[in-house]
Amino acid sequence: MSRTERLLQLMQILRRHRYPVSGAALSQELGISLRSLYRDIATLQNQGAKIAGEAGLGYVLQPGFTLPPLMFTEEEIAAIALGSRWVARQADHKLALAARDALAKIASVLPAEARQELETSGLLIGPSSSNAGNDEQLRQVRLAIRKQHKLVLEYQDETGKASERTIWPCALAFFDSLRVIVAWCELRNDFRHFRTDRIQSLQVADQIYPRSRQALLKEWRVQQGIRPER
């Protein structure tokens, strides 16, 4: 690998991580010494890359820095194709359409050989077995999460018992056969998980819930013992 390729790969790794990553982890992934890594970091910083951190503390690429278009590897093309097709098959209509549009935009700027690889990928998504609730409900749930608005649900639990719940939705989990809302429940005063196929009716309230979505999601991860995404 040339040094130019290595610098581009280092930028890609930093862009992948949301939190500071140690020099040791970076050097291990790149297969270089710590001394070489520190030189590469300094080179990128001198070229204008906004990399915060220092030896012993870790490094993070600050928001607002945009990389020029990079060539995708064959594995990256496969991941993009598979992920977009899964969303197009499993999500609500509006999100599925966005996935197809994103895939088309990426294809339009790729060289001919890479575009053919993207369009003819042999990785396919099978038919969905989901009974996950109606399309409009999923769209409303996504909107409430994005806007941090409360949701009022008429909800039926696994025993068939109905109740009205006011919740603060912070995430929507997509499984193969169902969709689950992660939310703070005002009735239970704790986090609860709500299957969208058990929602009898749904209304997006005008009120914005009092804590940020990011804070709720972080608290839920801690409660569930889930490590933060990097």
Side-chain angles (χ1 to χ4, degrees), residues 123-144:
L123 302 178
L124 304 176
I125 301 297
S128 173
S129 59
S130 171
N131 179 25
N134 67 54
D135 191 87
E136 176 59 21
Q137 278 187 348
L138 290 178
R139 189 195 68 80
Q140 289 183 312
V141 171
R142 291 195 298 105
L143 177 64

Side-chain angles (χ1 to χ4, degrees), residues 207-223:
Q207 301 99 322
I208 296 174
Y209 49 75
R211 283 187 278 167
S212 73
R213 178 180 69 247
Q214 292 85 351
L216 284 175
L217 196 54
K218 182 178 180 181
E219 185 178 338
W220 172 78
R221 288 181 187 279
V222 170
Q223 187 182 92

Side-chain angles (χ1 to χ4, degrees), residues 69-223:
L70 299 175
M71 176 63 67
F72 291 108
T73 66
E74 290 182 357
E75 293 298 316
E76 289 169 340
I77 289 174
I80 291 168
L82 186 62
S84 298
R85 287 167 185 165
W86 192 93
V87 173
R89 176 77 69 173
Q90 299 284 353
D92 61 83
H93 175 72
K94 192 168 184 179
L95 197 59
L97 184 60
R100 296 188 185 100
D101 287 346
L103 197 60
K105 287 179 181 178
I106 292 171
S108 70
V109 298
L110 289 174
E113 184 177 344
R115 182 167 61 251
Q116 183 179 11
E117 181 68 25
L118 180 68
E119 293 172 347
T120 61
S121 169
L123 302 178
L124 304 176
I125 301 297
S128 173
S129 59
S130 171
N131 179 25
N134 67 54
D135 191 87
E136 176 59 21
Q137 278 187 348
L138 290 178
R139 189 195 68 80
Q140 289 183 312
V141 171
R142 291 195 298 105
L143 177 64
I145 291 171
R146 186 165 64 247
K147 300 292 188 180
Q148 301 183 159
H149 277 227
K150 295 182 180 182
L151 281 174
V152 179
L153 311 179
E154 289 291 339
Y155 190 74
Q156 192 173 63
D157 66 18
E158 66 275 8
T159 67
K161 182 180 179 180
S163 62
E164 181 177 294
R165 304 291 186 96
T166 299
I167 64 173
W168 310 351
C170 59
L172 177 61
F174 288 78
F175 297 90
D176 180 59
S177 60
L178 57 94
R179 310 290 176 261
V180 176
I181 304 170
V182 177
W184 180 267
C185 177
E186 292 188 353
L187 179 65
R188 302 303 184 194
N189 197 34
D190 199 358
F191 288 103
R192 288 291 186 272
H193 303 131
F194 299 90
R195 287 177 46 163
T196 58
D197 59 324
R198 292 177 178 166
I199 295 175
Q200 305 303 300
S201 67
L202 175 153
Q203 182 180 354
V204 180
D206 292 333
Q207 301 99 322
I208 296 174
Y209 49 75
R211 283 187 278 167
S212 73
R213 178 180 69 247
Q214 292 85 351
L216 284 175
L217 196 54
K218 182 178 180 181
E219 185 178 338
W220 172 78
R221 288 181 187 279
V222 170
Q223 187 182 92

Side-chain angles (χ1 to χ4, degrees), residues 39-59:
R39 284 199 300 264
D40 288 352
I41 292 286
T43 297
L44 290 171
Q45 288 172 329
N46 290 336
Q47 292 177 354
K50 298 179 181 178
I51 301 173
E54 58 186 61
L57 297 178
Y59 299 93

